[in-house]
Amino acid sequence: MGNEQQDRPGDPLTALLDQVRLRLRDLDDGEPASYIPELGRVDPDLFGLSLCALDGQVYASGDTTTPFTVQSVSKPFVFALALADHGLENVLARVGAEPSGEAFNSIRLEPVTGRPPNPMVNAGAIVTSSLVAGDGPDERSARILEGLSAFAGRPLKVDEAVFASERATGDRNRALAYLMHNAGSLTGDVEEQLAVYFRQCSVLVTCEDLAVMHATLAGGGVNPVTGDRVVAPRHAQHVLAVMATCGMYDASGQWMLQVGMPAKSGVSGAIGVALPGQFGIGVFSPPLEEKGNSVRGIAACHLISDQFGLHLMRATVPQRRPLPPRSLHPAPLRSLRHRPRSQREALDARPDRIRVHVLQGDLDFATAEQTLRAARELPGAVSWFVLDLTRVGRVETVAADLLRALGEDLRTRGTRMVLADPDERQAMARPADEFPDLGRALESCEDGLLAELGLDPDAPVPLADCDLFGRADARVRAALADAFDTLRLPEGETVEPPGARLSGRIVLWYVESGRLAVCADSVSTVRTWSAGPGAALTPADFPARMSRQVLAERDTVCRTLTAEGLMRLRASVPEAVAVLERAPLEGAETVDRADTA
Amino acid sequence: MGNEQQDRPGDPLTALLDQVRLRLRDLDDGEPASYIPELGRVDPDLFGLSLCALDGQVYASGDTTTPFTVQSVSKPFVFALALADHGLENVLARVGAEPSGEAFNSIRLEPVTGRPPNPMVNAGAIVTSSLVAGDGPDERSARILEGLSAFAGRPLKVDEAVFASERATGDRNRALAYLMHNAGSLTGDVEEQLAVYFRQCSVLVTCEDLAVMHATLAGGGVNPVTGDRVVAPRHAQHVLAVMATCGMYDASGQWMLQVGMPAKSGVSGAIGVALPGQFGIGVFSPPLEEKGNSVRGIAACHLISDQFGLHLMRATVPQRRPLPPRSLHPAPLRSLRHRPRSQREALDARPDRIRVHVLQGDLDFATAEQTLRAARELPGAVSWFVLDLTRVGRVETVAADLLRALGEDLRTRGTRMVLADPDERQAMARPADEFPDLGRALESCEDGLLAELGLDPDAPVPLADCDLFGRADARVRAALADAFDTLRLPEGETVEPPGARLSGRIVLWYVESGRLAVCADSVSTVRTWSAGPGAALTPADFPARMSRQVLAERDTVCRTLTAEGLMRLRASVPEAVAVLERAPLEGAETVDRADTA
């Protein structure tokens, strides 16, 4: 895993990890742990650095596949398993969550309850280990091994020699366990509980395993490599919180101050780091400082946090530049629906009824609050408030909640909130008020406004009644209507746009009923515009590169005038052509555009 | 400040604050502090809740303008002032940054150094207060008052009666100060130092002040109401980190576990909360629980964190749905530059040389890493990698750094990284490789590719040489060239598009030299397309709603054929019109579109 990246020269992230490792390779303070011979025999020059992204990509630099015993880095994961088995409240009844200000092997217990201070010191970890579900020590050990393997995304094994040594030399831990048994915070057979704990510490992992395990916590409990959910999101959150305040023993405050990422270190020289929503890191370098943390491991975490500005307490404030697409649209924005003049005039007369607010970037508390403010400053006349989410990235819970509250609040004030959202986050709006793009959202608002004004945008408009013909008399109108062909398109049928080479030289399209849409792309459903009853279209409405196909969105009746038809009309009823040439098409277009000769 | 919002019914965020307050109004456990008479006399039913957004908007619910003494909530801000005066290292030499696991009035000092454990307990706060710059206690007190006022955004005052009482009854603090003086961690005159500290605790603030003060920390040290920078970003970050691990005394671990936002409480019943990059909160309700924290204040913070999912350790993982605009463009994407056939064919023959990657949402580590991955998976033939940032929100340091590293790495591999970025974040690319929109970025890549293939896209192409005329002989070519008018446009000049009513019925535009661009909007500079030497355009290339003006981006020579010119040509040299009708225009267009009669 990751080795192929390491070998490829062209990977800037691996290169950055390499740089970090290179800068620290000469840092040769400290000594490997030596309280058991197995740890003392390790090569002190081993140095590995791995990072696992939340989609499972593993980056590796140095000795990232060398196995070592997980030791105290197991504590957050076994805490997570205990939380999964009993829930936070029951676990907290047996072990605290306060930094003790003391070393990893502190014997201080809470005065009244006898609880160890937190699950990250040895005493607390012995208790959480004893809380993992299972009938007897073997079953519990098996569940712990299975759980750690699920976090790592591969089957892990126990180093039996280390286990035997730990068990034989664990005086201090044995003392802690008996003290807690005496205080009532550790129940059951003390030696059995200790065996489970020592086995847990003796599980073999690699630097890459640690990166994946911490990425699983950072990603809310889902292993990014296997895709399996290992623990619930709330339990992953609990574990990270306890790592943040207690993970580095009596240097936890300093760690939060200077590194600012939840972490856990172990006596074999490993440090694991998890940045919520971003990544997991594993570092391995055996020499330890006096508090029992890897010297290079600490330095590497400092460098990474500094260099990348990854501190949890950094304030990334959104840019203030009033970019037009991010602000409230001051002018009325119209959909690209072709409409007859009567509807256009009605909409033009009420530009104050529909407002569009365009959002960009991730939606968090800050952006949602700004949207609420924009909505509060809406003029009273606004009845449709369109939120364009098409440029939005991830949406945090708080933002969805606030926008939902906004939608409800606006409704009580007689304003509808309408979403343009290709991701269809229907949590925020009633489905009826949500559309996949801004064009459709605006069309719906305009249709609503027209209905309010007594106009039915879907009512058929026969060609004879259309506003193109102005005050033409009945004879001229009849001649005009005669000159047009009829094209019936059932819903879902597509035709080539008139811009296409073999279009039959249609110079004017008129929609009597139904709806047409022009799609920019035949694969996706990106609509350029649509046209309802009463709309008249010239070839200029079918721009060459944006009109791949014309789709009948409903059963549609079109009337079409070809260049030949126009020539015949010019010969037989010239005043009819004059009427057409004066016809008020949209966008200052006139038919003479289409009839250029 | 904020009261007008409170009185307006239609504000969903104030309504949510009201709901929180309402749910907790009947929670009447605890008693107000009574160690001095001034605190004991307070109305226990007072309850205020304020939130200040990072653009200075203040939301208020309940008793948010009632003054009370700031007490321990001053500690983070005075710590910030000490950091500003001396820097982190010098302050840490005098006071630690470790949670002590003990109460606010703990007398435990660090064994060797005699340092108090952290600046959030009384002992540590007395030391940081003594570190604020100033000649003598009066100047130091004045600087502290001025500093707290800068955080609050308004001039604050001291409650002299409370100050006198605090000073008269502060036995425990006096004892702490003398112990630290004895240990060498507090220097100078003990009574003078204590007076400065007691005055600091006696500054009067309101709930709204606390919201603004904490928003200043959350926003990296800039007061969002006044816009003034109060402390440096790194010092704001340091303060939040220490609040996160030590702010709630011996309940800090529990607080991080269950609330997950940096906070500080005070004995007057106030709690301040700062969520980095998001907001500041002030809560005020005098009755305290046994540890000295406001009962309702704690409950309100729990509710807000739970309800909004605001925990720092939450994992907001980006959506995985492979949305087309967020993914690597698989097909060759072409700019909307009109080009002569030779250039079009050259570009069509090498669709593998230019790739576009579209990003959306905020750019953080995770999105940047995914981009690096996409770049690594590029086929070897790609020489231009276009990053479309037009839909991106905020950009975190780590993302900018990674993308800059990517640009450098790609360059060593012979690939140029080109940015389409309206915000022109030039930190990421050399200016020459950055363009305000995707169209211009693509045009630049295409021009580069053409140059590599030996074609100069800017070289003039006289009409007589143009590829429209196919294999026509010299006589026909001369007749055709004669039929066209000449239009010279100096750089910067705009003309009406031929779609406009009074366009003089131009049916064909030909660019001999220079460059034209069609802009969708006369206000902004949104370009729909551009056209260089050798490009031929018909009215269908000027779609009605997207062609507000045609701009000469350079000195440009156009040749134009009117409908009248075409008719004359048809009469005199009919085979020339036949040539035109077969002319290979872009997008399967032919001139017969323009010449419909």
Side-chain angles (χ1 to χ4, degrees), chain A residues 596-597, chain B residues 480 482-486 498 503-509 539 559-570 577 580 591 594-595:
Chain A
T596 47
Chain B
L480 279 163
D482 266 359
F484 280 70
D485 302 318
T486 299
S503 64
R505 299 189 171 192
I506 293 172
V507 296
L508 193 62
W509 289 55
R559 306 295 302 273
T560 57
L561 179 65
T562 60
E564 291 73 18
L566 186 61
M567 280 173 69
R568 280 194 301 270
L569 190 65
R570 195 187 295 279
V577 175
L580 267 191
V591 178
D595 171 35

Short mmCIF file of all heavy atoms in Angstrom, two decimals, chain A residues 596-597, chain B residues 480 482-486 498 503-509 539 559-570 577 580 591 594-595:
data_model
loop_
_atom_site.label_atom_id
_atom_site.label_comp_id
_atom_site.label_asym_id
_atom_site.label_seq_id
_atom_site.Cartn_x
_atom_site.Cartn_y
_atom_site.Cartn_z
N THR A 596 -33.08 37.14 -44.23
CA THR A 596 -32.10 38.19 -44.51
C THR A 596 -32.08 38.66 -45.94
O THR A 596 -31.43 39.64 -46.24
CB THR A 596 -30.69 37.73 -44.14
OG1 THR A 596 -30.52 36.43 -44.68
CG2 THR A 596 -30.48 37.72 -42.66
N ALA A 597 -32.72 37.97 -46.85
CA ALA A 597 -32.57 38.38 -48.25
C ALA A 597 -33.66 39.38 -48.64
O ALA A 597 -34.71 39.41 -48.04
CB ALA A 597 -32.63 37.16 -49.14
N LEU B 480 -15.14 37.17 -54.56
CA LEU B 480 -15.58 37.02 -53.17
C LEU B 480 -14.98 38.12 -52.29
O LEU B 480 -15.69 38.79 -51.53
CB LEU B 480 -15.17 35.64 -52.64
CG LEU B 480 -16.08 34.49 -53.05
CD1 LEU B 480 -15.38 33.15 -52.85
CD2 LEU B 480 -17.38 34.54 -52.24
N ASP B 482 -13.91 40.98 -53.10
CA ASP B 482 -14.51 42.26 -53.46
C ASP B 482 -15.86 42.49 -52.80
O ASP B 482 -16.23 43.62 -52.50
CB ASP B 482 -14.72 42.33 -54.98
CG ASP B 482 -13.54 43.01 -55.67
OD1 ASP B 482 -12.61 43.42 -54.92
OD2 ASP B 482 -13.56 43.10 -56.91
N ALA B 483 -16.58 41.41 -52.62
CA ALA B 483 -17.95 41.54 -52.11
C ALA B 483 -17.97 41.93 -50.62
O ALA B 483 -18.98 42.37 -50.09
CB ALA B 483 -18.73 40.24 -52.31
N PHE B 484 -16.85 41.74 -49.92
CA PHE B 484 -16.79 42.02 -48.48
C PHE B 484 -16.38 43.47 -48.21
O PHE B 484 -15.53 44.01 -48.90
CB PHE B 484 -15.75 41.11 -47.80
CG PHE B 484 -16.25 39.72 -47.52
CD1 PHE B 484 -16.48 38.82 -48.55
CD2 PHE B 484 -16.47 39.29 -46.22
CE1 PHE B 484 -16.92 37.53 -48.30
CE2 PHE B 484 -16.91 38.01 -45.95
CZ PHE B 484 -17.14 37.12 -47.00
N ASP B 485 -16.99 44.09 -47.21
CA ASP B 485 -16.55 45.40 -46.74
C ASP B 485 -15.44 45.20 -45.72
O ASP B 485 -15.21 44.10 -45.22
CB ASP B 485 -17.72 46.14 -46.07
CG ASP B 485 -18.88 46.31 -47.04
OD1 ASP B 485 -18.63 46.63 -48.22
OD2 ASP B 485 -20.03 46.09 -46.60
N THR B 486 -14.76 46.30 -45.41
CA THR B 486 -13.69 46.24 -44.40
C THR B 486 -14.07 47.07 -43.19
O THR B 486 -14.55 48.20 -43.33
CB THR B 486 -12.37 46.75 -45.00
OG1 THR B 486 -12.01 45.90 -46.10
CG2 THR B 486 -11.25 46.70 -43.95
N PRO B 498 -24.22 41.67 -34.66
CA PRO B 498 -25.07 41.69 -35.87
C PRO B 498 -26.49 41.25 -35.57
O PRO B 498 -27.38 41.45 -36.37
CB PRO B 498 -24.37 40.70 -36.81
CG PRO B 498 -23.52 39.86 -35.95
CD PRO B 498 -23.15 40.69 -34.76
N SER B 503 -28.38 46.28 -37.54
CA SER B 503 -27.03 45.77 -37.75
C SER B 503 -26.56 45.92 -39.20
O SER B 503 -25.44 45.61 -39.51
CB SER B 503 -26.98 44.31 -37.38
OG SER B 503 -27.83 43.60 -38.26
N GLY B 504 -27.41 46.38 -40.09
CA GLY B 504 -27.01 46.46 -41.49
C GLY B 504 -26.98 45.10 -42.15
O GLY B 504 -26.34 44.91 -43.18
N ARG B 505 -27.67 44.14 -41.55
CA ARG B 505 -27.87 42.83 -42.17
C ARG B 505 -26.57 42.15 -42.60
O ARG B 505 -26.44 41.72 -43.74
CB ARG B 505 -28.79 42.93 -43.37
CG ARG B 505 -30.14 43.44 -42.98
CD ARG B 505 -31.06 43.31 -44.14
NE ARG B 505 -32.42 43.59 -43.74
CZ ARG B 505 -33.47 43.34 -44.49
NH1 ARG B 505 -33.30 42.80 -45.68
NH2 ARG B 505 -34.68 43.59 -44.07
N ILE B 506 -25.62 42.12 -41.70
CA ILE B 506 -24.38 41.39 -42.00
C ILE B 506 -24.66 39.90 -41.90
O ILE B 506 -25.22 39.44 -40.91
CB ILE B 506 -23.25 41.81 -41.04
CG1 ILE B 506 -22.86 43.28 -41.31
CG2 ILE B 506 -22.04 40.89 -41.18
CD1 ILE B 506 -21.90 43.86 -40.32
N VAL B 507 -24.30 39.14 -42.92
CA VAL B 507 -24.56 37.70 -42.87
C VAL B 507 -23.29 36.90 -42.59
O VAL B 507 -23.35 35.74 -42.22
CB VAL B 507 -25.21 37.17 -44.17
CG1 VAL B 507 -26.58 37.80 -44.35
CG2 VAL B 507 -24.31 37.44 -45.38
N LEU B 508 -22.13 37.54 -42.77
CA LEU B 508 -20.89 36.82 -42.50
C LEU B 508 -19.83 37.80 -42.04
O LEU B 508 -19.64 38.86 -42.64
CB LEU B 508 -20.43 36.09 -43.78
CG LEU B 508 -19.32 35.05 -43.61
CD1 LEU B 508 -19.76 33.92 -42.70
CD2 LEU B 508 -18.90 34.51 -44.97
N TRP B 509 -19.17 37.46 -40.93
CA TRP B 509 -18.04 38.24 -40.41
C TRP B 509 -16.80 37.39 -40.61
O TRP B 509 -16.82 36.20 -40.32
CB TRP B 509 -18.19 38.50 -38.91
CG TRP B 509 -19.26 39.44 -38.51
CD1 TRP B 509 -20.57 39.37 -38.83
CD2 TRP B 509 -19.09 40.59 -37.68
NE1 TRP B 509 -21.25 40.40 -38.25
CE2 TRP B 509 -20.36 41.17 -37.53
CE3 TRP B 509 -17.99 41.18 -37.05
CZ2 TRP B 509 -20.57 42.31 -36.77
CZ3 TRP B 509 -18.20 42.30 -36.29
CH2 TRP B 509 -19.48 42.88 -36.16
N PRO B 539 -24.59 35.09 -38.15
CA PRO B 539 -25.43 35.66 -37.09
C PRO B 539 -25.75 34.64 -35.99
O PRO B 539 -25.94 35.02 -34.83
CB PRO B 539 -26.69 36.08 -37.84
CG PRO B 539 -26.19 36.42 -39.20
CD PRO B 539 -25.10 35.40 -39.49
N ARG B 559 -13.65 41.64 -42.04
CA ARG B 559 -14.29 41.77 -43.35
C ARG B 559 -15.72 41.29 -43.17
O ARG B 559 -15.96 40.25 -42.55
CB ARG B 559 -13.58 40.92 -44.40
CG ARG B 559 -12.08 41.18 -44.52
CD ARG B 559 -11.78 42.59 -45.02
NE ARG B 559 -12.39 42.83 -46.30
CZ ARG B 559 -11.82 42.53 -47.48
NH1 ARG B 559 -10.61 42.03 -47.53
NH2 ARG B 559 -12.46 42.76 -48.61
N THR B 560 -16.66 42.10 -43.69
CA THR B 560 -18.06 41.75 -43.46
C THR B 560 -18.82 41.67 -44.78
O THR B 560 -18.58 42.46 -45.70
CB THR B 560 -18.75 42.82 -42.58
OG1 THR B 560 -18.62 44.10 -43.21
CG2 THR B 560 -18.11 42.87 -41.19
N LEU B 561 -19.72 40.71 -44.85
CA LEU B 561 -20.55 40.54 -46.04
C LEU B 561 -22.00 40.80 -45.64
O LEU B 561 -22.52 40.15 -44.72
CB LEU B 561 -20.41 39.11 -46.58
CG LEU B 561 -21.22 38.75 -47.81
CD1 LEU B 561 -20.78 39.56 -49.04
CD2 LEU B 561 -21.12 37.26 -48.10
N THR B 562 -22.63 41.79 -46.32
CA THR B 562 -24.03 42.08 -46.00
C THR B 562 -24.95 41.24 -46.89
O THR B 562 -24.51 40.68 -47.91
CB THR B 562 -24.36 43.56 -46.24
OG1 THR B 562 -24.12 43.85 -47.62
CG2 THR B 562 -23.50 44.46 -45.36
N ALA B 563 -26.22 41.21 -46.49
CA ALA B 563 -27.20 40.49 -47.31
C ALA B 563 -27.25 41.08 -48.71
O ALA B 563 -27.37 40.36 -49.70
CB ALA B 563 -28.57 40.57 -46.62
N GLU B 564 -27.15 42.43 -48.77
CA GLU B 564 -27.17 43.09 -50.07
C GLU B 564 -25.96 42.68 -50.91
O GLU B 564 -26.08 42.40 -52.11
CB GLU B 564 -27.20 44.62 -49.90
CG GLU B 564 -28.50 45.17 -49.33
CD GLU B 564 -28.67 44.89 -47.85
OE1 GLU B 564 -27.65 44.57 -47.16
OE2 GLU B 564 -29.81 44.96 -47.36
N GLY B 565 -24.80 42.67 -50.29
CA GLY B 565 -23.57 42.26 -50.98
C GLY B 565 -23.71 40.84 -51.51
O GLY B 565 -23.30 40.53 -52.63
N LEU B 566 -24.33 39.98 -50.72
CA LEU B 566 -24.52 38.60 -51.11
C LEU B 566 -25.44 38.51 -52.33
O LEU B 566 -25.20 37.75 -53.28
CB LEU B 566 -25.09 37.81 -49.94
CG LEU B 566 -25.22 36.30 -50.10
CD1 LEU B 566 -23.86 35.66 -50.35
CD2 LEU B 566 -25.86 35.68 -48.86
N MET B 567 -26.52 39.35 -52.32
CA MET B 567 -27.45 39.34 -53.45
C MET B 567 -26.77 39.81 -54.74
O MET B 567 -26.97 39.24 -55.80
CB MET B 567 -28.65 40.26 -53.15
CG MET B 567 -29.68 39.60 -52.25
SD MET B 567 -30.97 40.76 -51.74
CE MET B 567 -31.81 41.03 -53.31
N ARG B 568 -25.94 40.85 -54.61
CA ARG B 568 -25.23 41.36 -55.78
C ARG B 568 -24.29 40.29 -56.33
O ARG B 568 -24.22 40.07 -57.54
CB ARG B 568 -24.43 42.62 -55.42
CG ARG B 568 -25.29 43.88 -55.38
CD ARG B 568 -24.41 45.14 -55.36
NE ARG B 568 -23.51 45.18 -54.22
CZ ARG B 568 -23.80 45.71 -53.04
NH1 ARG B 568 -25.01 46.26 -52.84
NH2 ARG B 568 -22.93 45.70 -52.06
N LEU B 569 -23.62 39.59 -55.42
CA LEU B 569 -22.68 38.55 -55.83
C LEU B 569 -23.41 37.41 -56.53
O LEU B 569 -22.94 36.87 -57.53
CB LEU B 569 -21.95 38.03 -54.58
CG LEU B 569 -20.76 37.11 -54.81
CD1 LEU B 569 -19.63 37.85 -55.53
CD2 LEU B 569 -20.23 36.56 -53.48
N ARG B 570 -24.61 37.09 -56.01
CA ARG B 570 -25.40 36.02 -56.61
C ARG B 570 -25.73 36.37 -58.07
O ARG B 570 -25.71 35.52 -58.95
CB ARG B 570 -26.69 35.81 -55.81
CG ARG B 570 -27.41 34.51 -56.12
CD ARG B 570 -28.77 34.42 -55.44
NE ARG B 570 -28.70 34.37 -53.98
CZ ARG B 570 -28.44 33.28 -53.27
NH1 ARG B 570 -28.19 32.15 -53.90
NH2 ARG B 570 -28.41 33.32 -51.98
N VAL B 577 -21.17 32.36 -54.90
CA VAL B 577 -22.12 32.10 -53.82
C VAL B 577 -22.17 30.60 -53.52
O VAL B 577 -22.26 30.18 -52.35
CB VAL B 577 -23.51 32.66 -54.18
CG1 VAL B 577 -24.53 32.27 -53.12
CG2 VAL B 577 -23.44 34.18 -54.34
N LEU B 580 -19.43 29.82 -51.25
CA LEU B 580 -19.75 30.23 -49.87
C LEU B 580 -20.71 29.24 -49.21
O LEU B 580 -20.59 28.93 -48.03
CB LEU B 580 -20.39 31.62 -49.86
CG LEU B 580 -19.48 32.82 -49.66
CD1 LEU B 580 -20.34 34.05 -49.41
CD2 LEU B 580 -18.52 32.59 -48.49
N VAL B 591 -23.16 28.75 -44.60
CA VAL B 591 -23.62 30.11 -44.84
C VAL B 591 -25.10 30.14 -45.21
O VAL B 591 -25.78 31.14 -45.02
CB VAL B 591 -22.74 30.78 -45.92
CG1 VAL B 591 -23.24 32.19 -46.21
CG2 VAL B 591 -21.31 30.84 -45.43
N ALA B 594 -27.34 31.76 -42.94
CA ALA B 594 -27.39 33.22 -42.89
C ALA B 594 -28.15 33.78 -44.09
O ALA B 594 -28.73 34.84 -44.05
CB ALA B 594 -25.98 33.78 -42.85
N ASP B 595 -28.18 33.02 -45.16
CA ASP B 595 -28.73 33.50 -46.43
C ASP B 595 -30.00 32.70 -46.69
O ASP B 595 -30.05 31.81 -47.53
CB ASP B 595 -27.68 33.25 -47.53
CG ASP B 595 -28.27 33.51 -48.92
OD1 ASP B 595 -29.10 34.43 -49.02
OD2 ASP B 595 -27.88 32.79 -49.84
#
